[in-house]
Structure formats: structure tokens, C-alpha cells
């Protein structure tokens, strides 16, 4: 049996307007990751392998969790949200979201445009993004033991789409629910990929940490 634990990075720079400035943890994001690491080390800290993407917010989350020398795999990098949003605005007049509520309606529309190949000036097609994530998950399924993947919300949404055979609208809904420093479990057993847990934040359940649950 293979167990795959996916963790979304801690809160990043939520006021950013481009990929480069977004790619760093906030002070709260570093705390979220530290608390998650403490929880894992109190329960079951041993992993046979630990991977992050090559993005700073992913690598720094793993380090704050106590995994100081993870392997890096570019397939765990997030989709290029700001580039997609810029293309949607330039090519279809879709305004960039200004509030969290705006983002909740913007993301499903953005995904629909991307999935249906209506965004041309983007770094990566949806098919390429989907293929790299599903290939990675399938590869990890062939590795016995426990694997920790520290990644991002879009990657986790795609992994859940792969496991649950979600349509595109379902994937967008899943992506909107993925909180910072949340834990998601996939099990590969009897040649079947199954979801063992989604969006868990036990390290934030205490009353004095509820404020630390963030989506952006």
C-alpha cells in the first residue's frame, strides 16, 4: 500500500499582484507550517520520502515543518494563476478579483476558460498541467510506504480530481476549499487510488488558533 500526504503551503503574500511577489510565506504562513510540523511530529512524523515543488513558499513550508532537506520536483509547482488572470482580462475582459468574494466567483470562470482552451497567452495549457500532476500521483502510487508532498492548492485540486474523477466545475470547488497548511490523504490499495482525507487542519483546532485558518 502507498500513502500520499499532500500539504498546501502556509499563507503566502496575500496582497501580491504577481507570481514573484506572491512566492513567499507571510509570518502567519510560517506559524501555520510550524504548528503543522509540531502536530505531525507528535503523531507520526516518519515519511519514506518528502518532496516539494521548486517554489519558495513550498520549500519554506517544508522547512518550517521540520523537513529541512526535501527533494524537489517541478511537477508540484502551482498553476500560474496571475498569468491566467492577466490572459483572461486581456483576451476576454474578465476583471481581476479585488476581494476574497470576487476570487470565489473568478476562479471557476478562469478554470472554465483555461480548461476549454480559450486562454492563448499562458505559460502552460490545462492539459499539460493535468498530465504532470496525474503522472506524479501515479508515480507515487507505485512507491510503497508514506510520501509527503508539500505543494499548492491547484495541485491538490487536480490530485483530488484524479482520485475522484471530478468534472472541471467540481475541481474548481475543491480548489476554493483548500486552506493554507492543510493536510490531504490519498491511499493506493488493491490497485485503486482512494481519498483518505481532505482539508484537515488539526493543528489549528484549538480556540486560540481558529483565527489562523486562511484560504489566501
Amino acid at each position: 500500500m502507498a500513502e500520499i500526504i499532500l500539504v498546501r503551503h502556509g499563507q503566502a503574500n496575500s496582497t501580491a499582484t504577481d507570481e514573484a511577489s506572491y512566492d513567499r510565506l507571510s509570518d502567519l504562513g510560517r506559524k501555520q507550517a510550524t504548528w503543522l510540523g509540531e502536530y505531525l511530529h507528535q503523531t507520526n512524523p516518519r515519511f519514506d520520502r518528502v518532496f516539494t515543488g521548486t517554489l519558495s513558499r513550498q520549500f519554506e513550508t517544508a522547512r518550517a515543518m521540520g523537513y529541512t532537506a526535501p527533494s524537489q520536483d517541478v511537477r508540484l509547482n502551482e498553476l500560474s494563476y496571475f498569468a491566467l488572470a492577466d490572459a483572461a482580462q486581456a483576451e476576454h475582459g474578465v476583471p481581476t478579483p479585488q476581494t476574497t468574494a470576487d476570487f470565489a466567483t473568478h476562479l471557476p470562470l478562469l478554470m472554465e476558460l483555461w480548461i476549454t482552451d480559450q486562454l492563448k497567452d499562458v505559460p502552460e495549457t490545462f492539459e499539460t498541467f493535468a498530465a504532470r500532476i496525474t503522472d506524479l500521483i501515479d508515480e507515487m502510487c507505485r512507491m510503497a510506504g508514506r510520501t509527503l508532498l508539500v505543494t499548492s492548492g491547484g495541485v491538490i485540486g487536480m490530485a483530488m480530481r484524479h482520485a475522484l474523477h471530478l468534472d472541471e466545475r467540481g475541481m474548481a470547488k475543491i480548489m476554493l476549499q483548500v486552506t493554507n497548511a492543510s493536510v490531504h490523504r490519498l491511499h493506493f490499495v488493491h490497485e485503486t487510488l482512494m481519498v483518505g482525507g481532505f482539508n484537515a487542519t488539526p493543528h489549528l483546532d484549538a480556540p486560540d488558533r481558529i483565527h489562523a485558518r486562511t484560504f489566501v
Side-chain angles (χ1 to χ4, degrees):
M1 174 179 134
E3 182 180 25
I4 302 168
I5 310 297
L6 297 108
V7 168
R8 185 188 175 194
H9 61 79
Q11 185 190 57
N13 177 21
S14 58
T15 62
T17 57
D18 59 73
E19 303 284 352
S21 56
Y22 180 71
D23 192 26
R24 63 176 185 269
L25 292 182
S26 68
D27 290 340
L28 177 58
R30 195 164 284 104
K31 282 185 180 179
Q32 292 166 335
T34 299
W35 288 334
L36 175 56
E38 290 171 351
Y39 171 81
L40 290 176
H41 281 76
Q42 291 166 4
T43 53
N44 190 355
R46 188 193 66 79
F47 290 95
D48 296 287
R49 60 201 68 86
V50 179
F51 291 92
T52 75
T54 63
L55 300 176
S56 294
R57 61 189 184 273
Q58 299 170 340
F59 183 76
E60 291 303 318
T61 295
R63 290 188 62 184
M65 291 169 62
Y67 301 99
T68 56
S71 301
Q72 292 185 308
D73 192 316
V74 69
R75 292 175 293 177
L76 287 168
N77 286 0
E78 179 63 299
L79 55 87
S80 299
Y81 171 77
F82 291 100
L84 294 174
D86 288 345
Q89 185 170 36
E91 298 171 23
H92 300 277
V94 177
T96 302
Q98 302 299 312
T99 67
T100 302
D102 291 342
F103 179 75
T105 57
H106 181 263
L107 183 63
L109 176 58
L110 189 65
M111 290 297 102
E112 181 178 352
L113 290 171
W114 191 33
I115 289 163
T116 57
D117 199 27
Q118 296 185 63
L119 299 178
K120 302 304 180 185
D121 188 19
V122 293
E124 181 178 38
T125 66
F126 176 77
E127 288 77 12
T128 301
F129 175 70
R132 68 174 164 93
I133 306 307
T134 55
D135 287 350
L136 173 71
I137 296 299
D138 289 344
E139 181 179 311
M140 297 300 164
C141 286
R142 295 190 291 271
M143 298 182 181
R146 305 179 79 226
T147 301
L148 174 64
L149 305 178
V150 182
T151 183
S152 298
V155 175
I156 293 169
M158 178 57 67
M160 292 296 160
R161 175 183 184 263
H162 182 43
L164 296 172
H165 305 287
L166 297 173
D167 62 17
E168 288 73 17
R169 187 177 298 274
M171 184 187 72
K173 284 186 176 182
I174 285 284
M175 289 171 59
L176 284 169
Q177 289 298 306
V178 178
T179 56
N180 293 117
S182 54
V183 179
H184 314 257
R185 298 177 185 272
L186 298 176
H187 297 144
F188 186 69
V189 59
H190 304 309
E191 299 301 312
T192 302
L193 180 62
M194 296 180 287
V195 175
F198 173 73
N199 217 29
T201 53
H203 54 299
L204 303 178
D205 284 347
D208 62 343
R209 293 185 184 177
I210 290 175
H211 72 281
R213 288 200 184 112
T214 59
F215 296 90
V216 293

